[in-house]
């Protein structure tokens, strides 16, 4: 048997949300380099345009500006992808937001917004893309969760709650859709240097403290997620579903 093809995404169509910058951009670029056609979606239309222009050098990429919390926009994202490419092979739910605050002071409007972006939108997109994948009896859905689904992180209850819900959702869908060869897995990053984490990273004490928690003694980079994302999207992981792939520099394995 020849194994050189198992990480190939040739002739695959992928949707990546939150793809204008950071982790989403890096994983979208990885998919392109592995041979996929990629629809990149993001609320930041200006940055999305810049990323689209940059990624065109790597393959067939198409921008789709949207507010991921808008149900009609999510439906249009899937409808337009199907109209143009006739199928969806990969869905990467990467879009997410955070709002650190003490639980007793947490603003209800932010709680609701984070629910809409971090959990409800992912569930809806899983259903929309999943319907197509079930009909084709093939597909890979990758949901981006967080260390905070397993570890206690203070002052960010909404983020932890809805990333935890997303983790459980993936396992439920994996059980439901496994018989139809549709796989659903979680990619669980540790602290990655992005615009979302820049404030913490720029604080020398916080940066050092979080690096020390890891076995590799450093923060992650968006590129650190790319290999695992390609793995979960490709035939290389054809017997893997309902799993958490943790990319945290060893944080959750750290003992003495």
């Amino acid at each position: 048997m020849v194994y050189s093809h198992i990480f190939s995404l040739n002739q695959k169509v992928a949707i990546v949300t939150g793809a204008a910058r950071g982790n989403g951009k890096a994983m979208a670029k990885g998919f392109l380099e592995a041979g996929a056609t990629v629809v990149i979606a993001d609320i930041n239309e200006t940055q999305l345009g810049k990323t689209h222009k940059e990624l065109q050098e790597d393959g067939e990429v198409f921008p789709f500006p949207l507010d991921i919390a808008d149900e009609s926009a999510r439906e249009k994202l899937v409808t337009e992808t199907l109209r143009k490419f006739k199928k969806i092979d990969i869905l990467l739910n990467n879009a997410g937001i955070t709002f650190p605050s003490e639980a007793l002071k947490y603003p209800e409007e932010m709680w609701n917004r984070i629910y809409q972006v971090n959990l409800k939108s992912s569930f809806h997109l899983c259903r929309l893309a999943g319907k197509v994948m079930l009909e084709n009896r093939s597909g890979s859905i990758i949901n981006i969760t967080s260390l905070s689904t397993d570890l206690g992180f203070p002052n960010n209850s909404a983020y932890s709650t809805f990333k935890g819900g997303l983790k459980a959702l993936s396992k439920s869908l994996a059980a439901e859709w496994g018989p139809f060869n549709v796989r659903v897995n979680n990619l669980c990053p540790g602290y990655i240097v992005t615009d979302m984490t820049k404030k913490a990273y720029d604080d020398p004490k916080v940066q050092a403290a979080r690096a020390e928690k890891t076995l590799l003694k450093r923060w992650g980079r968006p590129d650190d997620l790319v290999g695992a994302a390609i793995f979960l999207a490709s035939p290389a992981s054809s017997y893997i579903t309902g799993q958490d792939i943790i990319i945290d520099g060893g944080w959750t394995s750290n003992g003495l």
Side-chain angles (χ1 to χ4, degrees):
M1 181 178 291
V2 178
Y3 292 106
S4 59
H5 67 287
I6 63 172
F7 291 99
S8 172
L9 299 180
N10 285 338
Q11 300 183 345
K12 301 295 186 182
V13 176
I15 294 174
V16 180
T17 67
R21 57 187 183 176
N23 297 337
K25 177 182 176 181
M27 290 184 284
K29 179 177 172 66
F31 285 173
L32 285 166
E33 292 183 358
T37 295
V38 182
V39 178
I40 54 173
D42 203 284
I43 194 172
N44 188 334
E45 189 167 355
T46 300
Q47 185 60 48
L48 185 66
K50 293 178 181 178
T51 296
H52 173 231
K53 185 176 181 180
E54 179 182 338
L55 295 185
Q56 281 180 312
E57 300 176 0
D58 299 303
E60 195 173 16
V61 58
F62 296 87
F64 193 95
L66 86 165
D67 178 355
I68 200 72
D70 183 336
E71 181 175 350
S72 63
R74 297 192 298 265
E75 291 173 347
K76 187 175 180 182
L77 168 63
V78 171
T79 299
E80 287 298 303
T81 301
L82 288 174
R83 183 187 65 80
K84 194 168 186 69
F85 304 113
K86 312 304 180 188
K87 63 174 184 172
I88 300 169
D89 300 295
I90 302 156
L91 171 64
L92 174 55
N93 279 314
N94 170 73
I97 57 174
T98 188
F99 185 81
S101 178
E102 297 176 30
L104 293 179
K105 300 177 181 178
Y106 211 92
E108 185 173 356
E109 65 273 17
M110 286 307 303
W111 179 275
N112 293 333
R113 175 69 178 173
I114 293 172
Y115 162 64
Q116 291 284 339
V117 172
N118 291 12
L119 182 56
K120 185 176 181 180
S121 68
S122 294
F123 173 54
H124 189 213
L125 282 174
C126 283
R127 289 207 301 181
L128 292 171
K131 181 179 180 181
V132 179
M133 294 174 179
L134 290 169
E135 290 173 354
N136 293 334
R137 301 187 74 86
S138 177
S140 175
I141 296 174
I142 305 166
N143 289 321
I144 304 299
T145 59
S146 167
L147 285 187
S148 65
T149 64
D150 292 305
L151 303 176
F153 286 88
N155 303 321
N156 211 340
S157 53
Y159 186 82
S160 296
T161 296
F162 300 123
K163 285 296 186 179
L166 184 59
K167 174 180 177 176
L169 172 66
S170 297
K171 294 177 184 297
S172 177
L173 294 180
E176 193 170 336
W177 294 347
F180 303 93
N181 196 38
V182 175
R183 300 181 297 108
V184 189
N185 290 289
N186 293 316
L187 197 57
C188 178
Y191 277 94
I192 310 293
V193 184
T194 64
D195 288 340
M196 183 183 288
T197 61
K198 186 177 186 302
K199 183 178 179 181
Y201 186 77
D202 286 346
D203 183 322
K205 291 184 179 180
V206 174
Q207 181 188 142
R210 292 180 182 174
E212 186 62 27
K213 287 279 190 179
T214 74
L215 298 179
L216 297 179
K217 306 306 177 187
R218 67 171 177 87
W219 286 48
R221 300 176 295 269
D223 289 349
D224 290 322
L225 304 180
V226 174
I230 293 172
F231 170 68
L232 290 177
S234 73
S237 60
S238 62
Y239 200 51
I240 296 176
T241 194
Q243 301 303 310
D244 303 304
I245 307 298
I246 301 172
I247 305 175
D248 66 351
W251 183 312
T252 52
S253 295
N254 201 353
L256 295 175

